[in-house]
């Protein structure tokens, strides 16, 4: 009998891409291939890529150059590029990188068995057609983590924020059928999963055309039916934040009190240019509503600094928004011009040093706020899900609170295992981490 060929998958980008790699793993295993953990042993290397910023693409080009030596050592090795870059750059990739055997976009993963066969016959191929009906509804992702699961409930995005490439790489927004999501959650529950994160680029605009269910009801139904599972979700767009969703978050203990709620900029003119469809004042009123209903809810954000034509005044408005809102944490980026987006036609007019200076100012302010907020946690007791050993100190363990804070703790006398819910009293903190003791 011929031995099964092994595939090593490397994933870049967002959680949706991670979940896509699990879908890919499931498709190829069904077709008779193995998932290989060690890159050196693999017969095929799949790189699942991200296009969101120029930096992300640059990293992947560097990785492809590095992979050349693997192919030299093993001439029959197959290297494939998957994901958002595949859709974004298409044929250019096959031309630019001679080590690639095939390139496949996010809507064409069902073709993988065929593409692999062609590659073994030495035919290079490109499969990047958009398919706005594809949701991979019937495919059960192959998951290695037995505690936490990502569940993509929708694909694509219709928002066309002017800076963003995602609507072009992932196509139109489409929601999975609610029945298939409920089925997947039920099967994860049977397997003993402790935490589920619902994913979508715009998760709160979820709508199942068949059952007429909106996101708030989907979340409520799943949380009510599975009280022993923690539910999280991301990313919520401010323009789709409903009172109903705010109510549901506050009504269920097993819906985590953490909201990722990207603001992007504190200046209304920039928000308009970004096509975000809300004003800073409206955003602020939503934050107030959320905090009124859920005083302990942690809120995090994304900020883009140095957007085309951003004035110093507008940059200061973003700083002042951070001071007013006091986010628990933030992902902060320097604007990166992306091909095919609307903002590509706005002159990228800020000098690089000024963009970096503004970004550093934002990062410094936010980390001082995070540090202060985390200091306030000292003395409090958090219920937290044990994730495993600490990455820095193998003698310590790490857990995550419902508010999405990482808590490092010393292993107590009693036996503790990954997936346990434990209470930790916070004793120390930094801007990014809490330290606690078992109570
Ligand atoms: N769908 C999510 C986020 C998708 S991308 C949302 O709407 O919030 C994640 C983050 O990357 C964005 O929130 C934005 O802050 C950042 N981003 C996207 N395109 C960018 C670009 N061209 N330059 C810099 N940052 C960008
Ligand atoms: Fe991009 Fe905007 Fe869609 Fe988020 S909502 S993925 S930032 S276009
Ligand atoms: Fe990147 Fe695509 Fe996600 S561009 S952020 S991997 S949707």
């Amino acid at each position: 009998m011929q031995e099964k060929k092994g595939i090593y998958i490397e994933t870049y980008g967002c959680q949706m891409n991670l979940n896509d790699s699990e879908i890919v793993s499931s498709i190829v295993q069904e077709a008779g291939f193995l998932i290989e953990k060690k890159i050196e042993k693999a017969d095929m290397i799949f790189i699942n890529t991200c296009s969101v910023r120029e930096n992300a693409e640059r990293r992947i080009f560097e990785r492809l150059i590095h992979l050349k030596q693997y192919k030299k050592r093993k001439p029959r090795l197959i290297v494939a590029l998957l994901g958002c870059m595949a859709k974004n750059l298409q044929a250019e990739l096959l031309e630019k990188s001679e080590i690639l055997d095939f390139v496949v976009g996010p809507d064409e993963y069902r073709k993988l068995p065929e593409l692999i066969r062609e590659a073994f016959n030495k035919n290079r191929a490109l499969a990047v057609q958009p398919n706005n009906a594809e949701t991979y509804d019937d495919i059960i992702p192959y998951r290695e983590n037995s505690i936490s699961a990502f569940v993509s409930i929708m694909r694509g995005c219709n928002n066309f924020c002017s800076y963003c490439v995602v609507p072009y790489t992932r196509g139109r927004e489409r929601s999975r059928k609610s029945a298939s999501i409920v089925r997947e959650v039920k099967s994860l529950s049977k397997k003993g999963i402790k935490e589920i994160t619902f994913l979508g680029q715009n998760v709160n605009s979820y709508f199942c055309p068949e059952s007429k269910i909106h996101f708030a009801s989907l979340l409520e139904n799943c949380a009510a039916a599975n009280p022993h599972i923690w539910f999280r979700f991301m990313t919520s767009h401010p323009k789709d934040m409903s009172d109903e969703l705010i109510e549901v978050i506050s009504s269920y203990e097993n819906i985590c009190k953490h909201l990722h709620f990207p603001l992007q900029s504190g200046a209304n003119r920039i928000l308009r240019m970004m096509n975000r469809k809300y004003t800073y004042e409206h955003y602020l009123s939503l934050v107030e509503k959320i905090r009124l209903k859920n005083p302990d809810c942690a809120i995090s954000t994304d900020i883009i600094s140095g957007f085309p034509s951003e004035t110093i005044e507008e940059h200061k408005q973003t700083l002042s928004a951070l001071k007013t809102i006091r986010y628990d944490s933030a992902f902060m980026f320097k604007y990166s011009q992306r091909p095919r987006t609307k903002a590509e036609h706005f002159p990228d007019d800020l000098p690089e040093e000024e963009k970096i200076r503004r970004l550093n100012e934002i990062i410094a302010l936010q980390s001082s706020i995070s540090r202060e907020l985390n200091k306030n946690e000292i003395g409090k007791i958090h219920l937290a899900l044990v994730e495993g050993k600490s990455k820095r100190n193998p003698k310590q363990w790490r857990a995550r609170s419902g508010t999405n804070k990482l808590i490092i703790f010393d292993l107590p006398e009693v036996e503790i295992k990954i997936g346990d819910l434990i209470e930790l009293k916070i004793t120390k903190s930094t801007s990014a981490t809490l330290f606690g003791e078992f109570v």
Side-chain angles (χ1 to χ4, degrees):
M1 207 175 75
Q2 211 182 349
E3 229 178 90
K4 284 187 175 181
K5 301 260 190 234
I7 304 175
Y8 176 85
I9 307 181
E10 202 166 281
T11 310
Y12 297 81
C14 61
Q15 283 91 343
M16 267 156 280
N17 239 22
L18 284 172
N19 190 223
D20 273 9
S21 287
E22 295 172 339
I23 290 171
V24 165
S25 300
S26 167
I27 291 173
V28 295
Q29 289 185 97
E30 191 68 24
F33 301 99
L34 286 176
I35 295 302
E36 177 57 64
K37 292 267 186 55
K38 292 204 175 88
I39 191 164
E40 296 79 16
K41 284 175 126 191
D43 303 291
M44 289 172 254
I45 299 175
F46 287 5
I47 312 287
N48 192 3
T49 60
C50 172
S51 280
V52 78
R53 280 167 292 275
E54 201 185 343
N55 241 339
E57 287 192 349
R58 190 176 319 126
R59 259 179 79 202
I60 288 156
F61 278 122
E62 283 166 10
R63 183 69 180 138
L64 289 177
I65 292 170
H66 183 79
L67 286 178
K68 271 188 190 160
Q69 36 170 314
Y70 287 82
K71 203 142 177 166
K72 254 190 215 139
R73 263 182 263 141
K74 209 193 246 184
R76 291 201 50 123
L77 179 76
I78 286 181
V79 181
L81 189 141
L82 288 68
C84 291
M85 257 172 99
K87 186 72 191 64
N88 207 29
L89 300 172
Q90 308 200 1
E92 194 188 327
L93 279 168
L94 285 179
E95 278 163 32
K96 264 196 186 163
S97 184
E98 69 274 15
I99 72 158
L100 289 176
D101 292 280
F102 63 86
V103 168
V104 53
D107 290 338
E108 298 246 71
Y109 295 144
R110 288 180 201 268
K111 283 198 185 144
L112 278 166
E114 187 187 325
L115 290 165
I116 294 171
R117 218 172 313 125
E118 283 302 311
F120 277 116
N121 289 332
K122 297 203 165 52
N123 293 323
R124 297 179 90 202
L126 182 69
V128 289
Q129 283 306 309
N131 177 354
N132 290 332
E134 182 59 274
T135 57
Y136 301 108
D137 239 344
D138 54 316
I139 292 172
I140 299 170
Y142 168 72
R143 299 183 170 94
E144 281 178 352
N145 184 330
S146 54
I147 304 303
S148 302
F150 290 130
V151 174
S152 297
I153 63 167
M154 66 201 310
R155 298 180 72 84
C157 184
N158 282 352
N159 287 332
F160 291 94
C161 300
S162 64
Y163 51 81
C164 182
V165 80
V166 172
Y168 306 95
T169 62
R170 298 225 156 215
R172 293 295 58 74
E173 180 182 302
R174 59 218 104 123
S175 294
R176 272 176 68 182
K177 290 188 185 114
S178 61
S180 99
I181 298 167
V182 169
R183 215 179 307 126
E184 188 171 347
V185 168
K186 208 183 258 174
S187 108
L188 288 168
S189 161
K190 271 199 197 133
K191 285 189 186 136
I193 281 277
K194 300 286 166 51
E195 179 183 44
I196 290 177
T197 306
F198 286 144
L199 297 177
Q201 290 294 356
N202 191 179
V203 80
N204 51 343
S205 80
Y206 173 88
F207 178 68
C208 170
E210 228 170 52
S211 62
K212 308 274 183 279
I213 281 184
H214 287 280
F215 182 61
S217 314
L218 176 77
L219 183 64
E220 173 161 36
N221 295 348
C222 291
N226 302 280
H228 53 286
I229 295 181
W230 273 14
F231 285 89
R232 300 182 184 275
F233 54 94
M234 68 187 301
T235 297
S236 305
H237 195 298
K239 80 173 168 53
D240 296 305
M241 187 42 95
S242 65
D243 290 350
E244 209 186 338
L245 179 55
I246 297 174
E247 190 65 48
V248 168
I249 299 171
S250 58
S251 307
Y252 290 83
E253 263 181 27
N254 60 327
I255 298 180
C256 290
K257 303 297 177 265
H258 167 236
L259 192 66
H260 187 57
F261 204 47
L263 170 66
Q264 312 296 359
S265 166
N268 285 334
R269 189 186 67 93
I270 298 293
L271 287 173
R272 224 169 18 248
M273 280 180 81
M274 287 177 163
N275 194 29
R276 288 292 288 181
K277 304 184 182 92
Y278 52 82
T279 60
Y280 171 60
E281 291 72 23
H282 179 64
Y283 179 96
L284 203 57
S285 71
L286 289 170
V287 167
E288 279 161 8
K289 242 191 223 175
I290 293 158
R291 287 187 169 152
L292 199 68
K293 280 272 171 193
N294 302 281
D296 294 329
C297 189
I299 304 181
S300 55
T301 195
D302 292 347
I303 299 287
I304 299 178
S305 138
F307 192 76
S309 80
E310 183 190 71
T311 63
I312 270 291
E313 268 321 302
E314 287 164 334
H315 165 64
K316 284 189 182 152
Q317 284 173 344
T318 299
L319 292 172
S320 130
L322 294 182
K323 282 186 202 150
T324 306
I325 297 163
R326 293 173 68 78
Y327 292 107
D328 290 81
S329 63
F331 295 101
M332 296 153 282
F333 311 102
K334 184 165 61 90
Y335 171 70
S336 161
Q337 192 177 55
R338 306 309 292 131
R340 292 191 297 152
T341 60
K342 186 156 178 239
E344 191 191 6
H345 307 292
F346 305 157
D348 191 5
D349 50 1
L350 284 167
E352 192 59 17
E353 317 79 78
E354 179 58 11
K355 276 195 200 168
I356 294 171
R357 194 194 67 77
R358 290 184 194 182
L359 178 65
N360 286 339
E361 215 169 21
I362 289 173
I363 293 173
L365 172 62
Q366 179 54 43
S367 75
S368 77
I369 293 170
S370 297
R371 193 172 307 117
E372 281 169 29
L373 290 177
N374 281 348
K375 215 175 198 173
N376 295 343
E377 298 285 324
I378 294 175
K380 287 189 192 161
I381 293 174
H382 276 290
L383 192 63
L385 185 66
V386 177
E387 290 186 343
K389 284 191 178 142
S390 152
K391 281 173 188 153
R392 289 223 180 120
N393 179 351
K395 287 202 185 118
Q396 289 182 310
W397 278 51
R398 62 174 209 278
R400 194 167 293 275
S401 70
T403 51
N404 206 31
K405 306 232 180 200
L406 182 67
I407 311 175
I408 303 294
F409 64 100
D410 288 327
L411 216 50
E413 308 257 298
V414 290
E415 197 202 338
I416 280 183
K417 47 187 195 320
I418 295 176
D420 283 349
L421 270 183
I422 59 170
E423 283 194 322
L424 291 168
K425 185 172 179 186
I426 308 307
T427 53
K428 217 170 67 175
S429 69
T430 67
S431 64
T433 315
L434 301 179
F435 297 84
E437 58 190 23
F438 185 78
V439 288

